[in-house]
């Protein structure tokens, strides 16, 4: 293809996105679009799957059958989100094995929030309420992103995320209506999860390298700082309603802006966790790699079975041909 032809294709491509048309896997797309989408969708898929670990830790210890059923359903939803997203990513021409390899070797990232430990039952409340709450804010705009398989997967994912958020908030409500010990446990969980949840919305706009291009492709509709502000403005009244105190002495309603002002985020901590030095990075990777290695015999058996089936089919069609001739 000549350079001019490629330029024409690129222009047509950008025009389609501007018209809000969906880009489908077999459509022509610039290489950079494909690579950026593989990176973002796979990071998202890895986050869903690694994100099962902190909560999976509490399934056997949920305080009642009702709580256990809800938590189990929530964690299973996350597995489902991972599967839709890996499938969407594969349509861009990368295999599932390659994607797993990138995660297991540390080449691919996942959301740094999942590198924090879940030490009490209240953490299940805080995670659903705050982490899934922040995820919704990040993900709702993606229902309108330009890549068709990603946008369609996000519609269902977002519906389930809103159940997760309510499930978590309900745990917090219950604890805040309980004994002093339960109230303290809820407050302690908020104290530990608040700041990492704010970090989850990504580095500040000044440090975010992909924002401009992603806005063009509708992979992003709002900047990280805008999303963070939206999350804070929405969450603070929810905390106040049930008597929780946001652990930020600088948090103050700003009449003029119609938004909350808030304190400095510890970005050094964020980058440390991203680089692999969070409290649970090693354990999370150990669990994922262990699951992959432990599942090897299942994959081998499935492959052997499908090869056998294939052989049988070939034999049958060969003998059928013989009979006919
Ligand atoms: Fe999810
Ligand atoms: Fe979720």
């Amino acid at each position: 293809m000549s350079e001019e032809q490629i330029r024409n294709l690129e222009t047509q491509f950008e025009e389609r996105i501007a018209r809000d048309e969906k880009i489908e896997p077999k459509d022509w797309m610039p290489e950079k679009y494909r690579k950026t989408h593989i990176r973002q969708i796979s990071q998202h898929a890895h986050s869903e799957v690694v994100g099962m670990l902190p909560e999976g830790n509490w399934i056997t210890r949920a305080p009642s059958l009702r709580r256990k059923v809800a938590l189990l359903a929530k964690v299973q939803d996350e597995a489902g989100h991972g599967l839709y997203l890996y499938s969407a990513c594969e349509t861009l021409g990368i295999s599932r094995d390659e994607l797993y390899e990138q995660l297991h070797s540390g080449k691919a990232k996942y959301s740094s929030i999942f590198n924090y430990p879940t030490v009490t039952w209240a953490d299940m409340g805080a995670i659903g309420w705050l982490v899934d709450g922040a995820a919704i804010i990040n993900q709702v705009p993606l229902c309108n992103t330009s890549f068709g398989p990603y946008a369609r997967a996000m519609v269902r994912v977002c519906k389930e995320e809103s159940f997760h958020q309510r499930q978590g908030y309900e745990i917090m409500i219950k604890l805040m209506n309980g004994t002093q010990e339960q109230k303290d446990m809820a407050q302690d969980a908020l104290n530990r999860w608040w700041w990492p949840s704010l970090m989850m919305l990504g580095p500040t706009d000044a440090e975010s390298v992909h924002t401009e291009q992603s806005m063009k492709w509708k992979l992003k509709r709002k900047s990280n700082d805008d999303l963070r502000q939206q999350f804070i403005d929405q969450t603070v009244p929810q905390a106040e309603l049930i008597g929780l105190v946001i652990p930020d002495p600088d948090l103050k309603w700003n009449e003029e802006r119609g938004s909350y002002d808030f304190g400095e985020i510890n970005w050094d901590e964020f980058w440390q966790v991203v680089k692999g030095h969070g409290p649970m990075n090693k354990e999370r990777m150990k669990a994922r790699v262990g699951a992959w290695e432990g599942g090897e015999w299942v994959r081998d058996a499935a492959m052997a079975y499908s090869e056998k089936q294939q052989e049988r089919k070939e034999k049958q069609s060969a003998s059928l041909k013989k009979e006919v001739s």
Side-chain angles (χ1 to χ4, degrees):
M1 226 184 287
S2 73
E3 258 176 51
E4 201 195 326
Q5 280 170 315
I6 291 179
R7 263 202 307 278
N8 281 340
L9 281 170
E10 275 174 356
T11 313
Q12 282 169 21
F13 180 84
E14 302 291 349
E15 282 168 359
R16 287 186 64 194
I17 292 182
R19 283 197 300 270
D20 267 333
E21 274 175 42
K22 292 283 176 258
I23 307 299
E24 296 301 336
K26 287 190 173 155
D27 295 347
W28 184 88
M29 61 184 79
E31 212 32 44
K32 201 173 161 208
Y33 181 91
R34 182 189 305 278
K35 290 231 168 78
T36 302
H37 278 74
I38 289 176
R39 194 189 65 239
Q40 171 152 343
I41 300 172
S42 66
Q43 243 177 48
H44 192 164
H46 299 325
S47 303
E48 301 285 354
V49 169
V50 177
M52 294 164 73
L53 297 169
E55 289 173 295
N57 177 37
W58 277 91
I59 291 172
T60 56
R61 293 175 290 165
S64 69
L65 182 60
R66 178 174 173 270
R67 291 291 175 203
K68 191 185 293 236
V69 168
L71 184 61
L72 196 57
K74 195 252 188 208
V75 173
Q76 281 177 336
D77 283 352
E78 307 301 4
H81 298 174
L83 292 182
Y84 314 146
L85 292 168
Y86 281 127
S87 301
C89 198
E90 282 176 296
T91 67
L92 289 162
I94 186 163
S95 72
R96 187 82 60 105
D97 281 7
E98 272 175 273
L99 294 170
Y100 286 149
E101 201 279 320
Q102 290 176 355
L103 174 68
H104 298 155
S105 66
K107 202 178 140 211
K109 297 270 173 266
Y110 56 87
S111 184
S112 61
I113 191 94
F114 301 120
N115 292 314
Y116 290 86
T118 42
V119 293
T120 70
W121 169 253
D123 288 3
M124 298 305 98
I127 290 182
W129 173 37
L130 303 172
V131 176
D132 293 82
I136 295 171
I137 287 189
N138 245 333
Q139 292 172 4
V140 165
L142 289 173
C143 297
N144 294 312
T145 191
S146 59
F147 186 53
Y150 195 27
R152 289 188 289 271
M154 292 321 293
V155 173
R156 176 152 177 192
V157 167
C158 284
K159 281 185 189 155
E160 293 176 347
E161 293 304 349
S162 93
F163 152 68
H164 300 168
Q165 196 266 354
R166 278 177 289 167
Q167 176 264 160
Y169 190 53
E170 202 221 348
I171 292 175
M172 296 308 252
I173 294 176
K174 198 84 181 174
L175 290 171
M176 290 308 287
N177 282 314
T179 62
Q180 189 57 46
E181 208 185 338
Q182 288 171 315
K183 288 179 189 173
D184 293 345
M185 195 162 83
Q187 181 63 52
D188 167 67
L190 171 60
N191 294 348
R192 284 180 291 106
W193 290 95
W194 175 252
W195 292 101
S197 302
L198 297 190
M199 294 173 198
M200 214 184 130
L201 293 149
T204 54
D205 295 346
E207 289 207 44
S208 175
V209 279
H210 305 297
T211 296
E212 205 193 321
Q213 181 64 74
S214 295
M215 289 265 191
K216 237 188 178 173
W217 289 335
K218 300 179 178 170
L219 251 177
K220 219 170 201 177
R221 295 262 160 137
K222 282 183 182 175
S223 75
N224 294 351
D225 288 336
D226 287 346
L227 293 171
R228 193 164 10 250
Q229 187 71 61
Q230 187 187 336
F231 174 72
I232 292 169
D233 291 347
Q234 159 186 316
T235 311
V236 173
Q238 294 170 355
E240 284 172 353
L241 185 72
I242 58 175
L244 283 164
V245 182
I246 303 283
D248 177 359
D250 296 324
L251 188 83
K252 221 176 105 206
W253 179 250
N254 183 323
E255 198 64 62
E256 223 170 280
R257 289 198 306 122
S259 265
Y260 283 93
D261 291 335
F262 54 97
E264 196 78 36
I265 293 172
N266 183 352
W267 290 111
D268 186 48
E269 176 185 323
F270 173 76
W271 291 114
Q272 284 300 320
V273 180
V274 169
K275 283 178 193 144
H277 311 302
M280 298 296 279
N281 294 59
K282 286 208 180 78
E283 281 82 349
R284 299 296 181 237
M285 267 312 97
K286 211 174 126 199
R288 287 314 315 159
V289 172
W292 175 251
E293 286 170 355
E296 195 179 354
W297 69 274
V298 179
R299 295 191 298 278
D300 288 349
M303 286 310 288
Y305 179 74
S306 93
E307 273 162 27
K308 225 192 219 166
Q309 292 286 87
Q310 189 62 31
E311 253 172 53
R312 197 171 291 161
K313 241 189 234 158
E314 277 162 20
K315 257 187 213 157
Q316 267 171 358
S317 71
S319 66
L320 213 62
K321 260 185 212 155
K322 234 188 212 165
E323 270 174 40
V324 173
S325 62

